[in-house]
Amino acid sequence: MGKKTTHKFKAEVSQLLDILVHSLYTNKEIFLRELVSNASDALEKARFKATSDGTEDNVTPEIRVEADKDAGTVTITDTGVGMTRDELMKNIGTIAHSGTAELTRMAAEGKESLDSLIGRFGVGFYSVYMVAEEVTVTTRSMEEGSKAITWTSDGKTDYKLQELDEDLPRGTKIEVKLLEDEKPRFANNAALKTIINKHSNFINFPIYVGEEKVNTVTALWREPKFQIKDEQYAEFYKFLTYDSEDPFDTLHTSVDAPVQFNALMFIPKSDEDPFGMNRDNRGIDLYVRRVLIEKQNKDLLPEYLGFVKGVVDTEDLPLNISRETLQDNVLMRKISSTLVKQVLNHLDKMAKDNAERYDEFWHAHGNLFKAGYMDFFNKEKFANLVRFNSSESEDAKGLTSFADYISRAKEDQKEIYYAYGPSREALGLSPHLEVFRNKGIEVLYLYEPIDEFVMDAVRDYEGYTLTAAEHADMEKLDKFESLVEEEKPEALSDDQQSTLDKLITRIKDVLGDAVTEVKASQRLSNSPVCLSNPDGNVTSSMDKIMRVVSKDNSIPKKVLEINPDHVLVRNMLTIFEQDENDPFIDQAANQLFESALLLEGYLTDPHALVGRVQELLTKSSGWYVDTKK
């Protein structure tokens, strides 16, 4: 047995060890992730060396982890490349990248969690001293003629090296003598198995805890697509998400440029968060060389693609990159950009190849997807994929794209019209849409507040302007013939037109500041009145959204539009001609205004309206009885 020699740690290593030994950080389990990753690297190097040398490696590649409860130890053994004396001193006696002073400052300031700082400076092995009283590394290099070496340290000021005469198998064994407080947590195989399953489940080499192989699920994303069956994808999806259902769709991809990565993504059959109460439960698991770096990374895919589940594995990121650095990392942005394009292209292909299947996807995840109106970089792709119910749909479940709408648009029509309402039935009765129904012009139906933001963000599509129906230019609609034969009364004479102007003024006086203006309408046919926004820019529904945000409960002042051809208005005109002070005019003006408010969803106190309805019914019932005599 060779002489045991003692070597002092370099100053920066001592500083680092001091941080680790005195750390109160709770996630100390990452020491095992680091040691298993190092073992995996050693096995990878052994395989590469054998391949490069053209020799056959008869040693079975494996990693073994064992807890000894009585001794209070955890041992990690690999059959990898091993280390010579010089390599041992280089790899463990120094830090690969100087920076401990910065690490010390950042840890002291509490800017980042310790597991994020570990590894940024190439110090993954030292994380073991968060749990270790002493560590012994026994290793023998696969280099011919190499002797076994043992390295021992309590992680304070120095380490001891000794050459062994024993003919040990090649590879490395790390024996961790646990601190007293850490023994209950780590000195048992069940705990070690749980940690490995969490962080190192997809390491490419078998990992045994005791005699049980614990990494039993294959890193399916690394396998060639043509060799994988649907059942394997389904099994992996269920393992990943705990969903009892098979995935709705699978996207398996391998990218070499601009950054190299493999990704396996799934679209679930149903929305697991229909009410948007658990938006944090999203993200893609990020792996580096099969080692989990971050569970549910939120930066790889934007929130509107949050329904996508899966994993991304890259060779290009450092194994222990901090979360702060992840967010600023150029490679991460490139991976994210590529992933978004791939998901959108995949959905676009689905929509083109199988519209019914895409509709099924939309009913499950469309509400979340619509939040993509903020993704200006992919505005065109988003606009191609968004769907709405339409006046042309058979029922409320029917879906229409902007492209579908254009294919049915009238000749010379350059607008895509839309309207917001609480339901298909409500929109089917909306006074604002009467002219569209009469002329057979399609209107997209919006049911959710976010739909308004989608329209505002997209603005135009293939040369067609997205236009709210209530803001439609009536001159543009006049050129289209009516498909319904309307029974219109005779046109008003000049005298009647003059009387109508006076009636409109009277109605404005009756309503006072409740409306900004009263005017004759061009859009109405079946309804006597409707309300419109005075500025002509903000839609009624957007106005409501803005009022909710600003907590404004007041009733907005709008324009009251009157249909001069409606029977009720003509009767009011006749009454007004006979007696300008007839109380029925006041009564009818208030009733029509509050009925319009009720339709718009603004009437908070219906008592006056109900009282007038009952009074009018009482009077009209007398007339009705007389007609039956």
Side-chain angles (χ1 to χ4, degrees):
M1 186 173 288
K3 181 183 176 185
K4 184 182 286 188
T5 58
T6 302
H7 304 265
K8 287 219 175 270
F9 284 119
K10 288 196 173 183
E12 67 267 22
V13 179
S14 294
Q15 293 174 36
L16 170 68
L17 292 171
D18 187 60
I19 294 170
L20 296 171
V21 169
H22 294 96
S23 169
L24 298 177
Y25 186 58
T26 54
N27 191 23
K28 297 181 179 182
E29 66 185 40
I30 61 112
F31 87 89
L32 188 56
R33 178 190 75 180
E34 296 301 320
L35 297 184
V36 169
S37 295
N38 289 345
S40 174
D41 288 344
L43 289 165
E44 203 70 71
K45 287 175 183 174
R47 185 162 62 181
F48 178 77
K49 187 173 184 351
T51 304
S52 300
D53 295 346
T55 58
E56 187 176 348
D57 191 355
N58 296 318
V59 178
T60 303
E62 64 181 24
I63 301 168
R64 291 190 174 271
V65 181
E66 185 78 57
D68 187 326
K69 190 173 182 179
D70 296 331
T73 61
V74 173
T75 305
I76 298 93
T77 308
D78 69 68
T79 56
V81 68
M83 288 179 281
T84 62
R85 179 189 175 95
D86 288 344
E87 287 170 339
L88 193 58
M89 291 182 70
K90 180 183 177 183
N91 291 340
I92 303 182
T94 61
I95 296 178
H97 303 290
S98 180
T100 313
E102 184 185 351
L103 190 152
T104 307
R105 177 182 60 77
M106 295 175 78
E109 292 176 4
K111 284 190 175 178
E112 294 184 69
S113 58
L114 196 59
D115 67 330
S116 295
L117 293 169
I118 288 169
R120 185 189 297 191
F121 307 102
V123 294
F125 168 79
Y126 298 110
S127 64
V128 71
Y129 284 104
M130 290 192 291
V131 300
E133 180 182 303
E134 185 178 77
V135 178
T136 301
V137 179
T138 304
T139 183
R140 186 173 76 80
S141 171
M142 70 185 294
E143 294 284 350
E144 194 172 336
S146 292
K147 288 194 172 185
I149 307 287
T150 183
W151 178 103
T152 307
S153 177
D154 59 5
K156 291 177 181 173
T157 57
D158 54 37
Y159 59 92
K160 296 176 176 58
L161 279 177
Q162 186 172 18
E163 208 171 78
L164 305 178
D165 294 332
E166 301 170 61
D167 187 22
L168 297 177
R170 77 118 191 270
T172 301
K173 179 175 79 171
I174 300 174
E175 184 178 291
V176 181
K177 185 178 180 183
L178 294 166
L179 292 164
E180 200 64 38
D181 291 347
E182 306 300 340
K183 288 178 182 179
R185 184 176 177 191
F186 297 113
N188 69 86
N189 283 347
L192 300 181
K193 179 182 173 183
T194 300
I195 295 168
I196 290 169
N197 278 332
K198 179 180 176 182
H199 294 285
S200 310
N201 196 69
F202 300 109
I203 290 289
N204 200 28
F205 303 99
I207 304 172
Y208 295 89
V209 175
E211 295 304 313
E212 181 186 359
K213 184 182 177 185
V214 293
N215 57 334
T216 55
V217 181
T218 307
L220 208 59
W221 62 85
R222 293 266 186 158
E223 302 296 319
K225 283 187 280 187
F226 64 88
Q227 293 181 4
I228 303 174
K229 297 177 181 177
D230 289 344
E231 301 83 62
Q232 290 174 280
Y233 281 131
E235 182 185 1
F236 185 85
Y237 168 76
K238 290 173 182 176
F239 164 80
L240 186 72
T241 64
Y242 305 107
D243 192 346
S244 58
E245 297 263 8
D246 288 353
F248 174 74
D249 208 3
T250 302
L251 175 55
H252 188 176
T253 182
S254 180
V255 176
D256 293 321
V259 57
Q260 184 181 15
F261 67 87
N262 294 295
L264 179 54
M265 296 178 285
F266 302 95
I267 299 175
K269 282 185 178 176
S270 58
D271 180 9
E272 61 183 20
D273 185 30
F275 303 108
M277 303 295 287
N278 194 21
R279 289 287 169 85
D280 282 343
N281 185 29
R282 67 171 186 88
I284 302 292
D285 294 348
L286 175 62
Y287 286 79
V288 173
R289 297 187 290 283
R290 301 174 191 263
V291 177
L292 180 66
I293 298 304
E294 187 176 5
K295 190 79 176 169
Q296 292 185 310
N297 178 282
K298 304 289 188 294
D299 301 315
L300 286 167
L301 286 177
E303 187 173 345
Y304 76 96
L305 297 179
F307 52 83
V308 177
K309 310 293 181 186
V311 301
V312 170
D313 188 5
T314 179
E315 302 282 334
D316 295 338
L317 287 168
L319 190 59
N320 290 292
I321 183 168
S322 75
R323 287 187 180 89
E324 180 186 83
T325 309
L326 269 180
Q327 292 171 349
D328 296 331
N329 191 279
V330 174
L331 290 175
M332 280 289 289
R333 289 198 292 272
K334 287 180 179 178
I335 293 173
S336 173
S337 175
T338 305
L339 283 178
V340 171
K341 286 177 182 175
Q342 288 189 334
V343 172
L344 294 179
N345 288 341
H346 184 76
L347 292 174
D348 190 54
K349 186 175 187 306
M350 185 197 303
K352 288 174 180 174
D353 294 349
N354 192 334
E356 287 185 10
R357 182 167 169 76
Y358 185 78
D359 286 358
E360 191 179 339
F361 155 78
W362 186 263
H363 285 302
H365 304 292
N367 277 343
L368 179 58
F369 184 86
K370 282 185 285 192
Y373 74 85
M374 293 184 288
D375 185 356
F376 299 110
F377 292 108
N378 293 292
K379 177 181 173 182
E380 188 176 330
K381 290 181 179 178
F382 172 80
N384 285 332
L385 291 168
V386 76
R387 296 290 185 270
F388 298 96
N389 194 224
S390 158
S391 58
E392 291 294 307
S393 303
E394 291 184 6
D395 54 37
K397 288 196 171 181
L399 295 174
T400 292
S401 67
F402 290 134
D404 292 336
Y405 183 104
I406 290 173
S407 70
R408 295 189 290 264
K410 291 183 177 294
E411 193 176 348
D412 295 331
Q413 180 186 338
K414 283 298 178 183
E415 291 77 29
I416 296 175
Y417 293 105
Y418 64 88
Y420 178 89
S423 67
R424 184 175 176 83
E425 292 72 22
L427 285 165
L429 297 170
S430 171
H432 291 288
L433 303 188
E434 286 178 357
V435 65
F436 295 93
R437 289 193 287 270
N438 290 341
K439 292 178 180 289
I441 298 173
E442 184 173 0
V443 178
L444 297 179
Y445 287 170
L446 317 186
Y447 303 126
E448 302 293 336
I450 194 172
D451 297 343
E452 284 269 16
F453 293 98
V454 170
M455 296 303 186
D456 193 51
V458 176
R459 291 182 181 266
D460 58 73
Y461 181 85
E462 302 289 339
Y464 285 71
T465 305
L466 273 59
T467 305
E470 63 182 281
H471 293 159
D473 185 340
M474 296 310 298
E475 288 185 8
K476 290 182 178 179
L477 296 178
D478 284 343
K479 63 186 176 186
F480 302 117
E481 288 185 18
S482 178
L483 304 182
V484 179
E485 205 169 307
E486 298 178 63
E487 291 186 16
K488 285 193 175 185
E490 286 185 21
L492 294 172
S493 65
D494 291 344
D495 288 343
Q496 287 175 315
Q497 184 62 53
S498 176
T499 305
L500 177 65
D501 293 340
K502 292 177 184 177
L503 175 62
I504 287 174
T505 302
R506 172 66 184 280
I507 294 172
K508 175 66 175 81
D509 290 341
V510 171
L511 299 178
D513 291 338
V515 294
T516 60
E517 183 187 358
V518 180
K519 67 178 184 181
S521 178
Q522 293 177 287
R523 78 179 81 224
L524 298 173
S525 54
N526 300 324
S527 300
V529 296
C530 73
L531 291 170
S532 60
N533 276 2
D535 60 10
N537 292 320
V538 179
T539 61
S540 301
S541 47
M542 183 61 79
D543 179 64
K544 283 180 186 174
I545 294 168
M546 291 163 65
R547 285 173 177 275
V548 169
V549 171
S550 61
K551 297 181 180 177
D552 182 357
N553 296 320
S554 64
I555 298 175
K557 294 178 181 180
K558 298 199 170 197
V559 176
L560 181 68
E561 296 189 19
I562 292 178
N563 179 6
D565 293 331
H566 195 276
V567 175
L568 175 54
V569 176
R570 287 293 177 101
N571 287 339
M572 288 176 69
L573 192 61
T574 302
I575 294 168
F576 188 76
E577 281 177 324
Q578 294 171 359
D579 181 3
E580 291 187 5
N581 297 313
D582 193 303
F584 179 79
I585 300 298
D586 294 28
Q587 198 174 29
N590 282 305
Q591 189 67 22
L592 288 171
F593 172 62
E594 291 197 357
S595 297
L597 282 179
L598 185 64
L599 280 177
E600 293 280 332
Y602 287 114
L603 188 66
T604 54
D605 185 1
H607 290 87
L609 180 140
V610 172
R612 280 192 298 273
V613 168
Q614 291 172 347
E615 185 181 345
L616 289 168
L617 279 173
T618 301
K619 291 178 180 177
S620 62
S621 63
W623 161 80
Y624 188 72
V625 169
D626 289 340
T627 62
K628 291 294 183 180
K629 287 181 180 177

